[in-house]
Structures are given as C-alpha cells and as structure tokens.
Amino acid sequence: MTREEKATVVQDLTAQLADNSIIYLADISGMDAATTSSLRRACFKADIKLAVVKNTLLAKAMEASDREFGELPSVLKGSTSLMFSEVGNAPAKLIKNFRKKSEKPLLKGAFVEEAVYIGDENLDALVSIKSKEEMIGEIIGLLQSPAKNVISGLKSGGGKLAGILKTLSER
C-alpha cells in the first residue's frame, strides 16, 4: 500500500468516525469463513456496518478526528474490526447473541455517544443501554401518568373546585 493510498484510507476512516456516534471495536480473528459470513449477514440484517481495519491507520484516523476517544486507541492490538450503528446497544446485542454459538467476536472497546468503554467485560453494560427513542418513550409515559390523574380528577369532581381537590387528594 502506497503512502497516498494509506492517506486516503485514513481520511475515509476519519470521515466515518466523524459521521458515527456509535463505534464498536471487536476482534473477529480466528473465525472460519462460514462463521464470518454468518456474522456479516447478521450485521447487515441489524443495520450495522462491519469493516476490518489496520490498527495503525485507525489510530491515525482517531488522532486526526475532532472527537476524544480516551483510552480507545490502547486496544488497537491484534485484529480489529469496526462496527458502526445508529442504535447504541445494537452491536452489543449482536455480539452477545452471536457468542451463544461461537466464542468470538470479542469486544475490545466501544465509543457510544461520547462515552468510552474498554474491554469485553463491558458487554452487558452496553447491551442495557437504551436508545434515545426508548428513553423518550419512558419519559413520555412517566409524564402522562400525572396528567391523566389530573384530567380524570377534573372529570369526576363534578366541575367544582372542592370536588376536584378531593378527588386528586384521594389519588
């Protein structure tokens, strides 16, 4: 690979790192062709982009990026694959599900919405991360409950202030 080709790869990786706020680093080395193909198919179905990268080029791209990756460059040893996703816990769920059949892929690290996770022991924590949509849904559900109480209190109180206050205080 020439210097120009390496520079182009680093630029492309830097752009990908800038465009994605959810980045997982995994080790898929030692997997046979059938297992690798199965992993790639599972990634495609889950809308996760999977790419094998050279550690030195990824380290240069991280360095050139505007983001702070913390200790993430320290895990760039051995074989490294990048996983990009729109959903924070999707790659973690895929890895955990895939490991029911195989011992790989191993989680090396992850960058999820500005938070850095290092090591395979963080897989369960990453699986339990909720997406923005899930969090918004929970917040709306929590906010609707008191509003429903007030509305039902207004309806059952007969329209008089004393009745409304009595109904709301009972709840």
Side-chain angles (χ1 to χ4, degrees), residues 4-45:
E4 292 80 22
E5 290 172 329
K6 287 180 182 179
T8 303
V9 170
V10 169
Q11 285 177 343
D12 291 344
L13 282 172
T14 304
Q16 285 181 324
L17 294 175
D19 291 343
N20 293 284
S21 60
I22 297 154
I23 303 160
Y24 280 64
L25 303 177
D27 178 7
I28 64 171
S29 65
M31 293 172 60
D32 62 14
T35 309
T36 303
S37 178
S38 179
L39 175 65
R40 288 187 180 278
R41 196 172 313 109
C43 286
F44 180 77
K45 286 179 183 175

Side-chain angles (χ1 to χ4, degrees), residues 6-171:
K6 287 180 182 179
T8 303
V9 170
V10 169
Q11 285 177 343
D12 291 344
L13 282 172
T14 304
Q16 285 181 324
L17 294 175
D19 291 343
N20 293 284
S21 60
I22 297 154
I23 303 160
Y24 280 64
L25 303 177
D27 178 7
I28 64 171
S29 65
M31 293 172 60
D32 62 14
T35 309
T36 303
S37 178
S38 179
L39 175 65
R40 288 187 180 278
R41 196 172 313 109
C43 286
F44 180 77
K45 286 179 183 175
D47 200 25
I48 298 169
K49 295 177 199 137
L50 177 68
V52 178
V53 295
K54 291 189 93 173
N55 290 331
T56 54
L57 300 179
L58 180 57
K60 287 180 182 180
M62 285 180 166
E63 195 176 291
S65 174
D66 294 338
R67 292 200 170 141
E68 180 56 46
F69 289 102
E71 297 296 314
L72 210 50
S74 68
V75 301
L76 296 176
K77 296 174 181 78
S79 176
T80 303
S81 297
L82 277 172
M83 300 173 99
F84 297 110
S85 176
E86 296 292 320
V87 181
N89 62 1
K93 285 180 178 179
L94 184 128
I95 290 171
K96 189 167 184 162
N97 189 35
F98 207 80
R99 292 234 306 254
K100 291 176 183 174
K101 302 173 229 158
S102 172
E103 58 187 51
K104 295 254 177 141
L106 294 175
L107 177 69
K108 292 174 121 185
F111 178 83
V112 181
E113 303 285 343
E114 306 296 325
V116 176
Y117 299 85
I118 304 292
D120 196 56
E121 63 275 1
N122 288 309
L123 187 61
D124 289 328
L126 287 164
V127 167
S128 65
I129 289 176
K130 295 189 180 193
S131 70
K132 287 180 185 177
E133 291 79 18
E134 291 171 327
M135 288 300 294
I136 290 171
E138 280 188 18
I139 291 169
I140 289 173
L142 291 171
L143 292 174
Q144 280 181 343
S145 181
K148 286 180 181 176
N149 286 342
V150 170
I151 291 170
S152 66
L154 290 172
K155 288 180 180 176
S156 66
K160 295 186 180 175
L161 189 57
I164 294 169
L165 289 175
K166 180 181 176 199
T167 304
L168 290 175
S169 66
E170 289 172 358
R171 292 183 186 195

